[in-house]
């Protein structure tokens, strides 16, 4: 799964990279400890134009009576996304991209200790997470990151991995190039990512600062 990430790149650079028109109410960056329910910047496409716009991380299905009216849906499993009532409509018609510098994952020891890792692209490029979105009342647009079974490299840390899109995939995922986006919902290549242990300070959702992604001497 993906439950925490770092978004550190300037919005103007991200809007330029995705050739998207930026909104005026984007969340502050950098944020080295992005947690569920906060606003994140996303890329959507509609009518031939891309938008770089904020959404709440944590999809709220339309039948929820209140924002916390059910489970917090921060991830959508690629294997079941087309059948799950919470996601199947969005999977067909409301796909987006969430850019990030990297994300955190944890290994759990037998005694319950959680050891955090920071994962980023080996080529130092921004990550582009495949995601889906849903409007919900006064909350506005809400999003969930698509995950799939981990590749061999990531499986050393966790059995799930976010779907990470390459630039050549962006148009297809955003619905600009017709059908076939389902083929993109698979684990990235074995050499795409690199990862390192970080301090357990990031275990707290209140932790802040660039030192959260610094390699830990172990």
């Amino acid at each position: 799964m993906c439950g925490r990430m770092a978004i550190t790149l300037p919005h103007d650079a991200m809007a330029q990279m995705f050739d998207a028109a930026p909104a005026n109410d984007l969340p502050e960056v950098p944020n080295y400890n992005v947690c569920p329910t906060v606003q994140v910047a996303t890329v959507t496409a509609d009518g031939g134009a891309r938008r770089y716009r904020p959404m709440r991380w944590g999809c709220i299905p339309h039948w929820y009576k209140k924002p916390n009216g059910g489970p917090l849906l921060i991830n959508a499993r690629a294997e079941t996304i087309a059948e799950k009532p919470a996601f199947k409509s969005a999977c067909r018609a409301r796909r987006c991209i969430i850019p990030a510098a990297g994300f955190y994952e944890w290994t759990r020891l037998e005694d319950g200790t959680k050891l955090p890792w920071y994962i980023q692209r080996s080529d130092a490029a921004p990550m582009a997470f495949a995601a889906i979105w849903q409007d919900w009342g006064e909350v506005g647009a809400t999003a969930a990151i698509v995950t799939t079974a981990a590749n061999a490299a990531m499986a050393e840390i966790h059995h799930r991995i976010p779907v990470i899109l390459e630039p050549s995939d962006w148009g297809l995922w955003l619905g600009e190039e017709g059908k076939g986006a389902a083929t993109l919902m698979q684990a990235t290549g074995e050499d795409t990512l690199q990862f390192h242990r970080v301090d357990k300070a990031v275990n707290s959702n209140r932790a802040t600062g660039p030192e959260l992604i610094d390699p830990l001497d172990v």
Side-chain angles (χ1 to χ4, degrees):
M1 63 177 295
C2 177
R4 216 80 76 70
M5 55 183 153
I7 298 177
T8 63
L9 299 164
H11 289 313
D12 55 352
M14 290 296 91
Q16 183 176 9
M17 187 176 81
F18 285 95
D19 193 21
N24 295 322
D25 54 347
L26 294 163
E28 290 188 10
V29 290
N31 185 343
Y32 291 89
N33 193 5
V34 179
C35 302
T37 75
V38 306
Q39 295 286 304
V40 296
T42 70
V43 180
T44 60
D46 183 36
R50 291 182 182 177
R51 297 176 58 198
Y52 185 69
R53 50 184 290 207
M55 294 187 189
R56 175 192 187 267
W57 184 18
C59 193
I60 306 177
H62 65 84
W63 62 82
Y64 279 20
K65 301 298 183 184
K66 52 186 179 179
N68 60 350
L72 182 62
L73 305 177
I74 62 172
N75 296 149
R77 294 175 66 94
E79 298 87 344
T80 57
I81 193 172
E83 292 87 37
K84 290 288 186 180
F87 302 130
K88 63 181 182 180
S89 176
C91 180
R92 291 193 301 269
R94 292 184 302 280
R95 297 189 297 271
C96 63
I97 294 171
I98 298 178
F103 67 99
Y104 300 95
E105 196 52 84
W106 283 260
T107 51
R108 187 184 295 270
L109 303 182
E110 290 185 2
D111 63 1
T113 302
K114 295 173 63 179
L115 303 179
W117 297 77
Y118 182 64
I119 299 99
Q120 58 192 324
R121 289 188 61 109
S122 300
D123 60 8
M127 287 188 180
F129 295 139
I132 52 93
W133 64 278
Q134 168 74 49
D135 269 323
W136 193 92
E138 69 272 14
V139 176
T142 66
I145 294 173
V146 181
T147 68
T148 190
N151 57 21
M154 185 67 192
E156 296 291 325
I157 300 174
H158 198 272
H159 66 285
R160 302 292 295 177
I161 190 173
V163 172
I164 299 168
L165 303 171
E166 297 299 323
S168 58
D169 302 329
W170 296 348
L172 183 58
W173 183 255
L174 293 174
E176 299 169 334
E177 300 174 6
K179 298 181 179 180
T183 62
L184 303 176
M185 291 189 289
Q186 54 187 323
T188 190
E190 297 294 343
D191 298 326
T192 302
L193 304 178
Q194 62 181 11
F195 37 83
H196 58 260
R197 278 283 317 282
V198 293
D199 193 272
K200 287 189 287 186
V202 77
N203 290 3
S204 169
N205 59 14
R206 294 184 295 274
T208 61
E211 65 275 9
L212 294 178
I213 66 173
D214 288 344
L216 182 69
D217 292 329
V218 291

